[in-house]
Amino acid sequence: MKRPPRSSPRSAKKAGRTVSIVSTGSYVPERVLTNADLSASVDTTDDWITIRTGIKTRRIAAKDEYTSDMAARAALAAMEQANIAAEDIELILLATASPDMIFPATACFVQQKIGARNAACLDVSAACAGFLFALEIAQQFIATNTYETVLVIGAEKLSSITNWTDRNTCVLFGDGAGAAILQHRSESTHGVISTHIGSDGQYADILWMPGGGCRQPITAENAHQHLQTIHMSGKDVYKQAVVSMLDASNKALDKAGLTIDDIACIIPHQANIRIIEAIADRMKIPIERFFVNLDRYGNTSAAAVAIALDEANRSGRLKPGDYILMVVFGGGLTWASSVIEW
Ligand code: ACO
């Protein structure tokens, strides 16, 4: 793998301390929902879903299994991997579009479930881009010496905000959680090199859940309208996804002083294989450079890149010293990217 010259802008760009991902964890629920299962309830086929999205199965949480439960399982796996005690966690950032409830923050429920009694807790709302937004916030707190140990989680129970009668959306989503623990390690130069986050509110209405907030509270009169489920203009989202993920990738690479040829593994948002193929094509790199698990889990929004990071880590796909690029997009619209030296 080509390495940047010693004088690369990497160190110059990094204000503050190095911030390393010291461990990762993930959790997906037991129940598997196949394309064949879906074709029994809506007018769709395994062929249509596979060709248009690449998704074969997704996981669905049990009725009494909440976003905070899945988040806690992922967090505990990450804590175990790096042998980090719950008391050492100073901040929990939980990215989600499907919180247990509007308040308190789902991160507070996770705090209680894992016993992280010394942590401050908040949720990050940036839809599918939320995990990398949270990663950037964590990095800022560590780089500026505010905290030593931050737990970042992406967790979703999208099955609870999916309109199961709408074939345009219900075939796409799944449930799960992924987590990472970030620390400054004085003995290590490895860590987050650059991050880029961005948003464009003019596209808010192409991917949103319009009901359930103060604008359109759910009432007896509108309960049948499915306002409290994901609404999406698929084609518009697709176009914006390709453009914004390419742009975000270039921005993080530029900041890091690297090119796409330096990147050993790209971990993209797991929404649709065709979006990933379009990006690979425009980057002129083989699809094999991308880590893909959407065939098994579908789109788990904020959890997607976090679960993929953990699977790439635990499967040995990421080697020490590798440069990896994570890149995501989501409702908002939002997008984010991060270059990491593993
Ligand atoms: N099964 C069979 N037919 C279907 C299905 C289905 N599940 N869904 C839609 N169709 C039909 C449509 O009704 C349409 O039929 P028509 O021509 O008779 O009207 C036809 O298939 C084509 O529909 P399109 O919407 O044009 O299909 P498209 O090729 O655009 O694929 C898709 C749809 C897969 C949703 C694609 O647009 C896409 O992937 N968009 C991006 C979605 C995405 O990434 N969302 C991320 C959400 S992230 C977050 O923040 C939650």
Side-chain angles (χ1 to χ4, degrees):
M1 197 52 50
K2 214 166 75 192
R3 308 298 294 265
R6 274 251 167 262
S7 60
S8 94
R10 176 178 184 269
S11 47
K13 293 274 181 188
K14 275 189 66 60
R17 307 187 299 165
T18 53
V19 179
S20 300
I21 296 180
V22 298
S23 67
T24 60
S26 62
Y27 170 80
V28 290
E30 216 171 284
R31 185 178 156 217
V32 176
L33 185 70
T34 66
N35 292 346
D37 295 334
L38 281 164
S39 65
S41 56
V42 289
D43 183 14
T44 191
T45 59
D46 175 39
D47 261 11
W48 193 96
I49 301 170
T50 304
I51 291 166
R52 301 283 178 129
T53 73
I55 299 166
K56 298 299 278 184
T57 60
R58 64 289 287 146
R59 300 298 183 95
I60 304 295
K63 205 165 173 224
D64 60 352
E65 186 174 37
Y66 309 124
T67 296
S68 62
D69 296 312
M70 294 183 277
R73 300 279 287 259
L76 288 169
M79 288 156 62
E80 190 185 353
Q81 191 181 56
N83 202 18
I84 286 172
E87 294 74 27
D88 293 339
I89 297 167
E90 296 166 285
L91 179 67
I92 300 175
L93 298 167
L94 188 145
T96 189
S98 48
D100 285 16
M101 48 189 79
I102 288 181
F103 77 89
T106 300
C108 293
F109 293 119
V110 174
Q111 172 187 36
Q112 185 231 330
K113 284 171 184 169
I114 66 173
R117 55 194 167 85
N118 298 319
C121 304
L122 71 143
D123 288 359
V124 174
S125 175
C128 297
F131 183 74
L132 291 194
F133 271 66
L135 195 82
E136 168 70 341
I137 298 167
Q139 190 207 306
Q140 297 295 340
F141 274 116
I142 295 172
T144 54
N145 278 299
T146 309
Y147 294 121
E148 293 297 324
T149 303
V150 181
L151 169 61
V152 178
I153 309 170
E156 302 282 8
K157 186 173 180 176
L158 294 182
S159 60
S160 69
I161 57 166
T162 296
N163 176 356
W164 290 101
T165 64
D166 174 19
R167 69 175 182 174
N168 291 291
T169 53
C170 76
V171 301
L172 302 174
F173 302 111
D175 301 334
I181 294 177
L182 274 69
Q183 284 184 330
H184 166 65
R185 292 260 169 109
S186 54
E187 74 280 10
S188 174
T189 57
H190 296 195
V192 181
I193 300 174
S194 65
T195 304
H196 168 73
I197 58 176
S199 314
D200 189 346
Q202 72 171 315
Y203 294 108
D205 63 353
I206 67 172
L207 180 55
W208 64 3
M209 187 176 89
C214 69
R215 206 189 282 196
Q216 294 196 80
I218 301 306
T219 61
E221 288 69 41
N222 69 22
H224 63 284
Q225 292 174 23
H226 298 288
L227 297 174
Q228 216 167 343
T229 61
I230 300 166
H231 290 237
M232 180 180 77
S233 166
K235 276 200 192 315
D236 294 327
V237 172
Y238 185 101
K239 277 186 225 146
Q240 293 303 325
V242 175
V243 171
S244 63
M245 285 170 85
L246 274 170
D247 188 57
S249 299
N250 289 334
K251 292 219 163 79
L253 286 167
D254 283 352
K255 266 195 212 172
L258 299 172
T259 74
I260 196 66
D261 294 329
D262 297 310
I263 302 296
C265 179
I266 302 158
I267 304 179
H269 180 43
Q270 308 285 319
N272 183 322
I273 194 65
R274 292 192 305 153
I275 292 175
I276 297 173
E277 284 166 354
I279 291 169
D281 191 54
R282 285 169 179 72
M283 285 178 167
K284 299 187 174 35
I285 56 171
I287 188 85
E288 290 72 30
R289 195 96 64 87
F290 289 76
F291 186 88
V292 175
N293 63 9
L294 64 85
D295 50 322
R296 288 178 286 135
Y297 304 136
N299 180 354
T300 58
S301 186
V305 78
I307 297 171
L309 177 68
D310 182 51
E311 290 196 343
N313 182 21
R314 286 175 194 258
S315 66
R317 172 86 185 257
L318 312 177
K319 306 275 184 289
D322 273 357
Y323 293 117
I324 68 164
L325 169 68
M326 292 192 280
V327 59
V328 295
F329 77 97
L333 291 179
T334 50
W335 55 84
S337 55
S338 187
V339 175
I340 291 165
E341 184 175 353
W342 199 250

